[in-house]
Amino acid sequence: MKMASELAGPDHVCRYTIIDIRNFDEEKLLIVAGLRKLGDSIRTEVRHMPILDDIMDHDVLGPAIRQGLEQGRKEGKEEGKQEGKLEEGLAIMRKQMTKRFGRLPGWAEERLAAMSVAELEDLSLAVLDAKTVAELFDR
């Protein structure tokens, strides 16, 4: 083990200080810095130190996050299109059925609301031939 007098050079001070303070929080770091008469220097450095903690600047994580965001946008856009088709299909079918059969019974509204886009497309053709609401859903 080296004596304190052997560790007086700047290389040794930095190396041992880094090892000693690596897991310190800010308060403990300032205490150690104060003991070494470096408190003002540390405060000045912290104030002028650029904050580069943006994860998007990371070489590996940044591109991966951007790719994930883009994929999420695409999936969200596709889901939005499907929801829009479904809402539009429901609105059109309600109009067609109401025009053809009058006010729709509650059970018909429930069945209609539970349909997929493909089922609504099939129903849009069947409504042309059906004589009643019940017949339309019993096909």
Side-chain angles (χ1 to χ4, degrees):
M1 179 161 183
K2 295 188 177 195
M3 300 294 292
S5 60
E6 294 176 302
L7 303 176
D11 292 338
H12 296 293
V13 171
C14 289
R15 182 174 48 230
Y16 287 101
T17 301
I18 289 170
I19 291 169
D20 289 342
I21 66 172
R22 194 176 354 191
N23 295 321
F24 282 14
D25 58 23
E26 183 180 340
E27 187 177 305
K28 290 178 184 173
L29 176 61
L30 287 175
I31 291 170
V32 171
L35 292 173
R36 293 182 176 250
K37 309 264 192 244
L38 298 172
D40 290 336
S41 297
I42 295 290
R43 283 187 200 90
T44 301
E45 285 298 317
V46 168
R47 265 184 272 147
H48 293 95
M49 189 180 300
I51 308 253
L52 300 174
D53 291 342
D54 188 350
I55 195 75
M56 298 305 271
D57 293 335
H58 191 276
D59 293 348
V60 175
L61 298 177
I65 291 171
R66 278 190 280 285
Q67 181 182 5
L69 289 171
E70 183 60 30
Q71 182 179 349
R73 275 190 211 98
K74 286 179 182 175
E75 289 173 7
K77 189 174 181 179
E78 186 58 36
E79 284 178 26
K81 284 181 182 179
Q82 290 302 316
E83 286 177 20
K85 276 183 167 181
L86 184 61
E87 288 176 16
E88 185 179 353
L90 282 169
I92 290 170
M93 282 311 304
R94 281 190 183 105
K95 286 180 183 177
Q96 286 181 341
M97 291 170 64
T98 302
K99 175 131 175 112
R100 175 90 193 236
F101 305 114
R103 185 180 161 140
L104 298 177
W107 64 266
E109 282 286 350
E110 288 175 16
R111 295 266 311 263
L112 197 58
M115 291 186 153
S116 68
V117 172
E119 291 171 322
L120 287 171
E121 288 174 357
D122 291 343
L123 195 66
S124 71
L125 295 175
V127 75
L128 300 174
D129 299 323
K131 305 242 185 289
T132 65
V133 176
E135 182 183 327
L136 181 62
F137 286 102
D138 288 339
R139 53 181 177 81

